[in-house]
Structure formats: structure tokens, C-alpha cells
Amino acid sequence: MKKVLVIAEVRDGQLRNVSLEALAAAGTLAEGGEVVAALLGPDTAQHAAVLGQHGAGTVYVADHADLAQYTPDAYAQALKQLIEFANPDAVVLGHTAIGRDVAPRVAARLGLGLISDVTGIEAGPVFVRPIYAGKAFQKRRFEEGKLMITIRPNNIAAGEADAGKTATVVPFEAEIKDLRSIVREVVRKTSGKVDLSEAKVIIAGGRGVKSAEGFQPLNELADVLGAAVGASRGACDADYCDYSMQIGQTGKVVTPDLYIACGISGAIQHLAGMSNSKVIVAINKDPEAPIFQVADYGIVGDLFEVVPLLTAEFKKV
Ligand code: FAD
């Protein structure tokens, strides 16, 4: 492909890691062609250097006040104009809350094909994506025309930074008008210090934690491992934690290197959000719990005994 455009994502002033993974995917698609990137919103130009070190030759920066917070209207307008201007053969976004929302809108407006939630790219290019709540994988390819893909975070490895590489920054004037919604305030409920959807290690609690206080041993283990804390819907429904922590079919989809499920039975809807984790450890006092069928390591026992023991052991390392 001659030119592949990555739409980078910045959250709370930080460049999201999935943007670097998208650059790696773009490098695979470009096969020696040009990789470019885009940053949307004020104060995002500072991230152009990192994008350059990861392979973007040009970084378009749409420094527009209406792009400071995500709104479907403003982002879709800006991205449509940007894609028309940059004229890439392919566009790559993260399969994040923003990517999932804006990619279909822009693809429809521009008449582009879209393959979403890509977890791997094979020669062709052939795009691999999970279907049936992660029970099977589908391989798809584009027959013709420009293409757009969203990639699932934590699946396509980001390349190494090359400090010798730099990007040319090109300001882009987006014309944004007739907004039907504006963001006045963002009230964010966070599950911890580490962003769940990009965490390398996740400690997840289910109804087995029995109360909001029951998450405390999980939080302590997470602190030691630098992990994020997630939950099953059972735990969220029982009001032990906030829904922002929910992992699964109707929650967040995660692919960490290590997923430790504590007091989670392993319902299919939960597995849909975590079964692609690289290593799964299950702690459950019921040896028949379905979670053990997907676990690489299983500990049959009471989480309130096992989790503090793990924390104590990891502290020694
Ligand atoms: P339970 O099934 O009650 O399991 C609790 C487990 O804890 C048991 O296995 C028990 O043996 C173990 N346990 C209890 N005490 C201890 C202890 N002291 N030590 C160790 N183990 C202990 N669920 C999701 O998680 N995410 C979703 O996105 C999701 N979406 C859904 C969408 C739909 C349309 C529907 C119908 C359901 C969805 N669900 C989802 C709900 C799902 O079906 C299950 O009800 C839910 O996952 C169960 O949560 P749980 O495993 O925490 O609870």
C-alpha cells in the first residue's frame, strides 16, 4: 500500500499505547510504503515526536478547540476531512471506545470498507477478528477500494522506538460546524491507577469477593503487580464495584499478559471479555467452576486466603 494513516488517540494528555500498536499494524500494511498519523485536539502536537519514532513520517495535527473532548459529531467531521485531505489507502484506529464509535460513522460517510476489532494481520493482507464472543476467529479481507480497520488493544505488538526517526508536523485546519452535542464536563469513574483496557496485568473480582470491602485484597495485589482491577458483572450488579470495571460481553474487552480471576465462575459473557488474555489464573473455591476450563493455572481455594499469600510472595520478588 502506498499510504497508511493512523488516527492516534490521546487521553488525559497521554498518548494511548494502542496508537503505537496501530503504527505497527500500519507498517505491516504499508509494506515499505508511507505511514502517516493524525493527532486531534489542542495540545496534542507534543506527541508527534513519539509517533515519528514509531514510524510515522508525517503527523497531521488538528488543533481545534471542538476536538478537546470526544464528540461523535466533531470527530467524524474532522476525520472525514482529514482522510479526504491525506488521501490514504488505508486508515487504522484503535478499537477503543472512541474508535468503535467514530470509525463506522466515518467509513459510512466516505464509503470505505471497515473491518473492526482486528487482533492479527496475516499476509494478503488478511485480517483476523474474534466472533461469537471470542469462541471463534474470522479471517476477512478487502476485495477492493480503500480500507479502514480498528485494532483491539494489546494484540498487535508496538514496535521499538527509533530515536533517530522524526516526523514532519503538518497543521490541519478542520472545519467543524453544526455540532449537535458538546461536552461540558467529564466525570470519570476510574477503577484504579492503571487503565483497564491497556493494562498488562489485571486482577478481576467476581461475586466471590462478597462485598465492596472484599476488593481490598485484590487492590493490594494489584498495587504490588502494577495491575488494574476489573470485575465480573456479577460483582457490579451486586454493587461491590462500579460498572466501569466490568469485563465481558457487555463490559470491556481486555487482552492482558496476565489475568487473575478471583471468585469468578466463568460465565460465557465474562469469558467474551477476557479469554484472549495471554495467561489466565483462576482462583475459585469450586473445583467445577467453568473458569478453570479456560485457565492456564487454577487454584482451588478461598480467595481471601490465596490472594494475600500471592501478595506476600510477590512482595519478596
Ligand atoms: P457467580 O456466577 O455467582 O460466581 C461466583 C464465583 O465465586 C463462584 O464460582 C464461586 O464458587 C466463587 N466463590 C465464592 N466465594 C469464593 C471465595 N471465597 N473464594 C473463591 N471463590 C469463591 N458477566 C460478566 O462478567 N461480564 C459481562 O459483560 C456480562 N454480560 C452479560 C450480558 C448478558 C446479556 C447476560 C444475560 C449476562 C451477562 N453477564 C456478564 C452475566 C453472566 O452471565 C454471569 O451472571 C456473571 O458473569 C457472573 O458473575 P460472577 O462469576 O462474579 O458470579
Side-chain angles (χ1 to χ4, degrees):
M1 259 169 228
K2 290 200 200 86
K3 190 173 187 182
V4 182
L5 169 67
V6 166
I7 310 301
E9 215 177 289
V10 175
R11 186 174 172 191
D12 297 336
Q14 303 289 320
L15 183 69
R16 297 195 71 174
N17 198 47
V18 71
S19 305
L20 305 182
E21 296 167 356
L23 281 169
T28 305
L29 291 177
E31 291 174 343
E34 190 185 4
V35 174
V36 299
L39 286 161
L40 304 187
D43 303 324
T44 55
Q46 53 180 307
H47 302 292
V50 178
L51 297 175
Q53 289 169 3
H54 282 83
T58 301
V59 178
Y60 303 100
V61 180
D63 180 353
H64 194 296
D66 286 341
L67 300 170
Q69 298 291 348
Y70 176 75
T71 61
D73 269 355
Y75 266 56
Q77 287 182 37
L79 281 185
K80 176 176 178 286
Q81 293 163 27
L82 185 67
I83 292 167
E84 285 171 335
F85 173 75
N87 196 24
D89 301 294
V91 184
V92 185
L93 298 91
H95 195 69
T96 58
I98 291 177
R100 289 152 84 143
D101 193 52
V102 79
R105 294 172 196 274
V106 177
R109 287 181 196 190
L110 290 170
L112 307 181
L114 171 66
I115 296 181
S116 63
D117 203 12
V118 170
T119 54
I121 302 174
E122 297 177 357
V126 171
F127 299 94
V128 183
R129 63 189 299 274
I131 53 170
Y132 301 129
K135 276 186 170 277
F137 287 89
Q138 184 182 51
K139 293 186 176 182
R140 303 187 67 187
R141 65 191 169 87
F142 293 90
E143 292 292 334
E144 58 181 12
K146 296 182 182 211
L147 52 103
M148 181 181 265
I149 62 166
T150 62
I151 60 160
R152 187 183 282 202
N154 274 345
N155 278 266
I156 296 169
E160 293 288 319
D162 180 345
K165 286 188 179 169
T166 53
T168 306
V169 176
V170 177
F172 178 76
E173 296 286 334
E175 194 189 322
I176 297 174
K177 55 184 181 186
D178 302 329
L179 292 183
R180 290 171 294 181
S181 58
I182 51 167
V183 177
R184 294 214 178 275
E185 189 187 3
V186 177
V187 181
R188 187 167 289 135
K189 292 184 176 176
T190 52
S191 55
K193 296 158 204 149
V194 184
D195 181 0
L196 199 52
S197 50
E198 292 198 337
K200 296 284 178 205
V201 181
I202 293 176
I203 319 293
R207 217 168 347 226
V209 303
K210 297 195 172 60
S211 66
E213 295 71 40
F215 267 96
Q216 192 48 31
L218 279 60
N219 291 334
E220 287 167 16
L221 178 57
D223 280 347
V224 173
L225 292 178
V229 179
S232 71
R233 180 155 142 189
C236 300
D237 284 346
D239 221 8
Y240 302 161
C241 60
D242 190 80
Y243 280 101
S244 61
M245 292 167 67
Q246 185 185 321
I247 292 165
Q249 188 179 323
T250 44
K252 292 194 170 78
V253 175
V254 296
T255 326
D257 293 341
L258 174 63
Y259 189 91
I260 305 181
C262 310
I264 293 177
S265 59
I268 181 69
Q269 295 89 355
H270 186 76
L271 302 187
M274 48 62 75
S275 61
N276 287 337
S277 303
K278 296 193 181 67
V279 175
I280 298 171
V281 177
I283 304 167
N284 197 303
K285 63 182 185 183
D286 175 7
E288 303 296 326
I291 189 80
F292 287 125
Q293 289 169 18
V294 297
D296 299 283
Y297 299 93
I299 303 173
V300 178
D302 187 329
L303 72 92
F304 294 106
E305 291 169 16
V306 176
V307 173
L309 285 175
L310 288 176
T311 306
E313 284 303 314
F314 281 122
K315 271 186 184 165
K316 291 180 195 165
V317 180

